[in-house]
Amino acid sequence: MGKKIVVIAELTEGRLAPATLEVVSFARMLRGADPAEPHVIAAGKGTASIAEELALQSGLDVTALEGDGLDPYNAEAFKGALVPLLDAWKPEYICLPHTARGCDLAPGFAIALGAGCITAVEGIRKVEGSVGFLRSLFKGKVVMEAASETETTVLTVLPGAFKMMDAPTKRKGAVEFLLTDCAPRRTRPLGLVAAAAEQLNLSEAEIIVSAGKGIGSEENLDLIRRLAALFPKAAIGGSRLVCDLGWLGYQHQIGITGKTVSPRLYIACGISGAIQHTSGMQGSHCIVAINKDPHAAIFRIADYAIVEDLTTFIPLLI
């Protein structure tokens, strides 16, 4: 089938995840750096309408892989259904969103196909005919460029790193339907558990005050709440570490494995600026960062940088 870039669409409860269209944009940029043809695979149950929508929005050809064993999501079934297809096509690149599901599937694809695997890609650079992929290390303080030396490379793309672009033509891509009887045999999916409801949804908030592990202790969340209370339509956000520690519920989490937000004002308190968090808030209209580390990576994207201990600064600001 020639050289291909394959995008694995992410579907949740019959809906297309927005990160998929960002990966399509990434695939187009990658095609500009390497002459390969992008193609989308939408795997799940009841994929017909989503496949048609994808073909219309992206202008790319779409393969709808349909199977009862693919819903709800299960890594064992997905790899069993997708690996034979990918092995037959031998694409140059396999691209997935860097979400919980993408991180679950990517290493399995790489092992099964003997492929390279580069995760959390946030940029592309072409030098002297070779393609390099940029990703952050050490909480965003270092940017690494990685290149693959394998025939096939699996890539996970950071949500928010590549903006969704309109299809270059109004052409609707072709849609192909395939059936699979793959089902999990060693694992059993138990479904999805919805997060508890919030007083104000993060996606509706005009101002978000977010806490990172750098706030020091759970008791200092009181400062975050008092600051948020000064603004109308404000909500509390948090980094993954704060939610993992139990200081905030996961419905407050912002970043790759949480929510993506773009409020009018985002106040980051004690947040280092690792790409896992900033990918979920870098589209905010105005970013204020409070951190006592003058080299914190969050300052790279902040409109206002406050280099101070937040337990000193926030009471003064209030």
Side-chain angles (χ1 to χ4, degrees):
M1 298 184 72
K3 297 173 72 176
K4 273 192 177 295
I5 298 171
V6 172
V7 174
I8 308 296
E10 183 165 320
L11 318 179
T12 304
E13 297 182 329
R15 298 188 300 272
L16 181 68
T20 295
L21 295 176
E22 296 177 11
V23 178
V24 167
S25 297
F26 168 81
R28 282 210 175 88
M29 291 181 63
L30 188 54
R31 185 179 184 273
D34 199 288
E37 185 63 32
H39 189 102
V40 184
I41 298 177
K45 185 179 178 182
T47 57
S49 60
I50 292 177
E52 295 286 350
E53 177 191 347
L54 262 171
L56 182 62
Q57 289 190 32
S58 67
L60 300 177
D61 294 344
V62 179
T63 294
L65 188 59
E66 181 86 12
D68 290 340
L70 301 178
D71 186 43
Y73 166 77
N74 177 274
E76 181 189 354
F78 263 65
K79 285 182 279 192
L82 287 165
V83 165
L85 186 60
L86 295 169
D87 192 38
W89 286 1
K90 300 196 183 311
E92 190 165 14
Y93 299 107
I94 301 167
C95 308
L96 306 92
H98 189 79
T99 57
R101 183 178 301 187
C103 292
D104 195 24
L105 287 173
F109 285 157
I111 291 171
L113 299 169
C117 186
I118 302 174
T119 59
V121 173
E122 56 186 283
I124 304 171
R125 198 164 77 97
K126 184 176 180 182
V127 180
E128 297 178 358
S130 65
V131 180
F133 299 97
L134 307 179
R135 66 187 308 274
S136 294
L137 298 174
F138 304 112
K139 297 183 178 180
K141 292 184 178 180
V142 175
V143 177
M144 178 182 77
E145 181 176 349
S148 178
E149 297 183 351
T150 56
E151 181 181 356
T152 297
T153 305
V154 182
L155 305 167
T156 63
V157 181
L158 274 176
F162 298 88
K163 292 184 178 179
M164 290 184 285
M165 297 186 297
D166 293 331
T169 67
K170 297 297 182 181
R171 164 190 175 270
K172 178 186 175 185
V175 179
E176 176 188 22
F177 294 92
L178 299 177
L179 295 176
T180 178
D181 58 0
C182 273
R185 292 179 173 83
R186 294 173 294 178
T187 54
R188 180 166 60 94
L190 299 177
L192 300 174
V193 178
E198 314 169 45
Q199 289 185 343
L200 179 63
N201 192 296
L202 284 171
S203 61
E204 298 172 354
E206 293 185 359
I207 291 90
I208 294 177
V209 183
S210 267
K213 191 180 178 184
I215 67 172
S217 67
E218 185 175 2
E219 289 71 26
N220 286 333
L221 278 174
D222 182 59
L223 286 173
I224 307 302
R225 295 188 177 99
R226 287 171 56 201
L227 179 57
L230 298 177
F231 303 97
K233 287 193 175 182
I236 304 294
S239 67
R240 180 183 61 81
L241 286 174
V242 164
C243 296
D244 284 347
L245 288 167
W247 296 356
L248 286 172
Y250 283 104
Q251 68 269 27
H252 295 276
Q253 185 177 335
I254 294 170
I256 291 172
T257 51
K259 291 182 172 65
T260 298
V261 297
S262 55
R264 289 173 56 196
L265 173 63
Y266 190 93
I267 305 177
C269 305
I271 291 174
S272 64
I275 193 66
Q276 286 78 6
H277 181 81
T278 58
S279 63
M281 46 67 70
Q282 59 190 359
S284 302
H285 295 256
C286 181
I287 299 171
V288 176
I290 308 168
N291 199 303
K292 63 183 178 182
D293 177 7
H295 304 293
I298 191 71
F299 290 148
R300 293 181 184 174
I301 63 169
D303 298 289
Y304 297 92
I306 314 298
V307 184
E308 182 55 89
D309 189 314
L310 60 88
T311 59
T312 300
F313 179 76
I314 292 179
L316 291 172
L317 178 60
I318 291 172

